[in-house]
Amino acid sequence: HRDHEGILEAVSVARETNYTWAERSPCVQETSWRTCDGTFVATDFRAPEGQILNGKTQTPWTLKVRTLLPSSGDGPFPVILYGHNMSGTRTGSSLVMSQLGELNVALVSIDALYHGEHPSAGTSSIPALPFLGIDLENLAMDGPAILGSFAQTNLDRLQLLELLVQDPDVDGDGN
């Protein structure tokens, strides 16, 4: 099997791309941290069948980013990338931050494919089903789509990390 070669090509393309914030909002002070929301344009590397065949299959999409910062200080802060569970969304990072707030870290999150406000999110009340390639109507499972979902979700996260390296100012305040 050489399924991984297309994914590695997409990783190379993602790492060589320049990313910028499409939108940055001022941070809002919460009880124990500041919440900063923004967006950036990333790339969907999946082919129409849901697989990542190479780094050439590219469709831009806008991803929403949630960043939780310590309630005080200008940073830079160490970054923890939050990945939610199969029934969660990027906003679940607040629960984690309530436990990590005293560590003086930034917690950054995006929605996985088919979850929350991700561009791929559809009308499924159980986002894990399309993510896992499960079709209950036809009692079918699409193995390559599962691989594509996990790979693209991680490519979205890689693109987010590249954005943070290139432009760490999550709220546009110059800090």
Side-chain angles (χ1 to χ4, degrees):
H1 292 284
R2 304 196 124 190
D3 300 350
H4 67 284
E5 290 178 355
I7 296 169
L8 292 176
E9 185 179 325
V11 166
S12 293
V13 170
R15 300 228 35 225
E16 295 168 4
T17 300
N18 292 321
Y19 298 96
T20 59
W21 291 97
E23 178 185 339
R24 290 184 267 214
S25 300
C27 297
V28 175
Q29 183 66 48
E30 305 289 345
T31 305
S32 302
W33 59 82
R34 294 173 285 167
T35 300
C36 315
D37 290 313
T39 64
F40 80 105
V41 176
T43 300
D44 179 3
F45 289 96
R46 294 172 303 146
E49 304 80 29
Q51 300 165 293
I52 298 174
L53 304 174
N54 55 53
K56 297 178 185 89
T57 306
Q58 299 181 19
T59 304
W61 55 19
T62 301
L63 299 179
K64 293 187 176 192
V65 180
R66 162 85 28 112
T67 305
L68 304 178
L69 298 173
S71 58
S72 61
D74 290 332
F77 302 105
V79 173
I80 296 175
L81 182 61
Y82 172 76
H84 61 77
N85 61 30
M86 283 293 180
S87 63
T89 68
R90 74 185 183 287
T91 60
S93 56
S94 298
L95 178 61
V96 175
M97 189 62 159
S98 68
Q99 303 298 312
L100 300 178
E102 63 196 37
L103 296 178
N104 225 26
V105 297
L107 193 63
V108 183
S109 60
I110 56 176
D111 289 315
L113 260 68
Y114 305 108
H115 289 75
E117 296 180 82
H118 193 279
S120 65
T123 58
S124 176
S125 60
I126 307 172
L129 294 177
F131 187 94
L132 296 171
I134 298 172
D135 178 356
L136 292 179
E137 276 186 34
N138 298 304
L139 297 175
M141 191 167 197
D142 184 351
I146 299 169
L147 176 60
S149 292
F150 278 104
Q152 182 60 51
T153 293
N154 284 305
L155 282 162
D156 285 351
R157 292 174 181 156
L158 172 62
Q159 293 172 89
L160 171 61
L161 291 173
E162 291 295 328
L163 168 69
L164 293 172
V165 166
Q166 295 170 20
D167 188 358
D169 186 6
V170 297
D171 61 358
D173 70 353
N175 290 322

